[in-house]
Amino acid sequence: DKLCRRCQRQFYFAQIAAHHSPKEPWRREAFLLRQMKTLELWRGSVIHEGIQHYVVPALRKGDALDWEMLTEQTIQRAKAQLAFSEQKRYRESGIVKAEHEDFCALIPHENGKGVSGEDFDEVCSQIRTAFQRLASLSDLWQPLLGRKDCKAEEQIWVEFDDVKIMVQIDLLFERSLGHPTIIDWKSYELGGDTDARLQTALYGWAVWKSKLFTDLRDAQNIELLECQVQDGVVIKHECSLEVFDELEDHLYRSLNRIFSLCRTKKLADARLQDFAFTDNPNNCEQCAFRQLCIERALMHDPVIASLPPRRPPERKAFRPVPQPALF
């Protein structure tokens, strides 16, 4: 939804056109460009991966966490990913992202600027700072030592209004019977994302709808925690049926906005002409699809160009929840 509001064409290339098949080179290109990350986004993903692949398994073993070792393991992962991107291995034929844990595609390598030693040292410094802050949260980690039910990057699918919504929860566990806890790691500066409350509410809503915890009787029993890893701050968000009502109203509006452009993700059901350019030129400057977007826009197809804009598909009416906007 955020992508669609920022730029409809970016939404088109990332969510509809992108495809890994080599039979359509421009769609393969869109697929590769969708993997591109800035150094800031990459740093955040490495921190997430470090928690998933090193911290959580260590928690399950039950031993005291060796944060120095966990930090170095994460740094080594970052070095392997940097080398993968620097060699542009993401463009090698036959490379499948899911089969390479060091898969990485950085915008500085794609545009030829590269990543300097100073830039990478800064990334490593920020990773170390984040893990130092996490290490200071002993009240968060101590109850989790030896817990076998800690699930990292847990995917949950929920059906809603004729669509399927997938959430991926950073850390999920049941602190007591019928009382699940959801933790969302945030690696930006404190206050850098106004959607954190909305995102954690969505996670809680998905757990509630999925019936994953059969003893979950009250939505307020779901604990929603946002952990700012750069600052070592844990923020607790509200979880209740009232919040879920407001969230569903937001989802309805989001789906209507997306369905006004396309009903499915099939390329045959969508035309680039129906997707508007962003009205903020700064979005173009930072967009990985910029060159591909220009190339496709400059292509002349008299048949397609002569067609009138496609009418948006009809959507069933809904009654918004009569409450003040939450987000």
Side-chain angles (χ1 to χ4, degrees):
D1 180 59
K2 287 175 64 177
L3 181 61
C4 186
R5 285 185 281 119
R6 181 167 63 244
C7 177
Q8 292 180 9
R9 293 213 163 199
Q10 195 176 61
F11 173 86
Y12 170 87
F13 286 112
Q15 298 297 326
I16 299 175
H19 193 272
H20 55 76
S21 173
K23 296 180 180 180
E24 298 177 278
W26 77 274
R27 296 190 67 187
R28 169 71 176 175
E29 183 67 13
F31 173 80
L32 290 174
L33 294 175
R34 190 175 70 176
Q35 318 306 319
M36 296 295 165
K37 295 178 181 176
T38 63
L39 286 181
E40 182 180 8
L41 287 176
W42 174 53
R43 182 236 349 195
S45 69
V46 171
I47 292 173
H48 273 71
E49 291 171 14
I51 296 172
Q52 176 188 1
H53 295 286
Y54 309 124
V55 177
V56 172
L59 284 173
R60 291 174 181 154
K61 290 181 179 179
D63 299 329
L65 297 178
D66 184 342
W67 285 100
E68 183 175 347
M69 180 186 72
L70 296 170
T71 301
E72 289 309 310
Q73 287 177 317
T74 305
I75 294 294
Q76 290 303 315
R77 190 182 190 92
K79 289 180 178 179
Q81 292 185 2
L82 180 73
F84 188 100
S85 178
E86 192 172 35
Q87 298 165 19
K88 291 190 175 182
R89 293 198 58 204
Y90 53 84
R91 287 197 170 275
E92 290 181 9
S93 177
I95 289 290
V96 179
K97 180 180 178 181
E99 297 176 359
H100 295 266
E101 68 174 25
D102 54 350
F103 185 97
C104 182
L106 298 177
I107 291 178
H109 291 142
E110 181 64 16
N111 63 23
K113 293 182 179 180
V115 178
S116 67
E118 292 79 6
D119 288 339
F120 181 65
D121 288 343
E122 178 62 22
V123 170
C124 293
S125 174
Q126 292 172 340
I127 292 174
R128 289 192 174 95
T129 298
F131 274 70
Q132 288 170 2
R133 298 287 190 271
L134 287 171
S136 68
L137 300 175
S138 55
D139 291 343
L140 180 67
W141 303 113
Q142 193 62 37
L144 298 180
L145 290 177
R147 293 287 299 265
K148 305 297 183 182
D149 64 332
C150 288
K151 300 177 181 178
E153 304 302 323
E154 178 75 1
Q155 291 186 356
I156 299 176
W157 287 88
V158 179
E159 291 191 5
F160 177 76
D161 193 38
D162 300 327
V163 301
K164 291 183 178 180
I165 298 176
M166 188 273 282
V167 302
Q168 186 161 312
I169 300 174
D170 290 346
L171 188 64
L172 175 65
F173 62 93
E174 197 174 23
R175 62 189 186 279
S176 63
L177 195 63
H179 292 73
T181 291
I182 294 169
I183 301 180
D184 188 47
W185 313 115
K186 295 295 184 188
S187 58
Y188 48 71
E189 296 298 325
L190 189 61
D193 186 354
T194 58
D195 283 343
R197 189 185 180 206
L198 172 64
Q199 186 177 358
T200 54
L202 178 64
Y203 293 159
W205 172 84
V207 167
W208 176 256
K209 291 286 187 180
S210 69
K211 309 297 183 183
L212 184 63
F213 299 96
T214 55
D215 293 297
L216 177 58
R217 307 299 182 190
D218 190 332
Q220 296 186 43
N221 292 342
I222 303 174
E223 185 178 44
L224 303 178
L225 301 180
E226 171 196 352
C227 182
Q228 298 271 358
V229 299
Q230 296 297 123
D231 301 278
V233 174
V234 177
I235 302 169
K236 186 172 182 177
H237 293 289
E238 179 186 359
C239 189
S240 66
L241 293 179
E242 289 75 20
V243 171
F244 291 166
D245 285 341
E246 294 170 352
L247 174 67
E248 288 187 358
D249 182 53
H250 180 93
L251 291 174
Y252 272 121
R253 296 179 186 278
S254 299
L255 291 172
N256 273 268
R257 187 157 40 235
I258 292 172
F259 283 143
S260 69
L261 294 170
C262 55
R263 185 72 194 186
T264 73
K265 291 179 66 174
K266 293 181 180 179
L267 186 65
D269 296 335
R271 298 190 314 163
L272 182 57
Q273 299 96 308
D274 296 330
F275 294 77
F277 290 99
T278 180
D279 55 4
N280 184 351
N282 291 327
N283 290 335
C284 288
E285 291 297 325
Q286 303 298 325
C287 181
F289 300 102
R290 181 181 179 183
Q291 188 58 41
L292 182 61
C293 182
I294 293 173
E295 292 174 359
R296 302 304 295 182
L298 291 177
M299 292 183 65
H300 296 286
D301 189 328
V303 176
I304 296 180
S306 64
L307 294 175
R310 180 169 53 87
R311 292 182 61 186
E314 294 293 331
R315 284 281 289 155
K316 64 183 181 183
F318 70 94
R319 186 182 301 276
V321 178
Q323 297 177 2
L326 175 62
F327 306 109

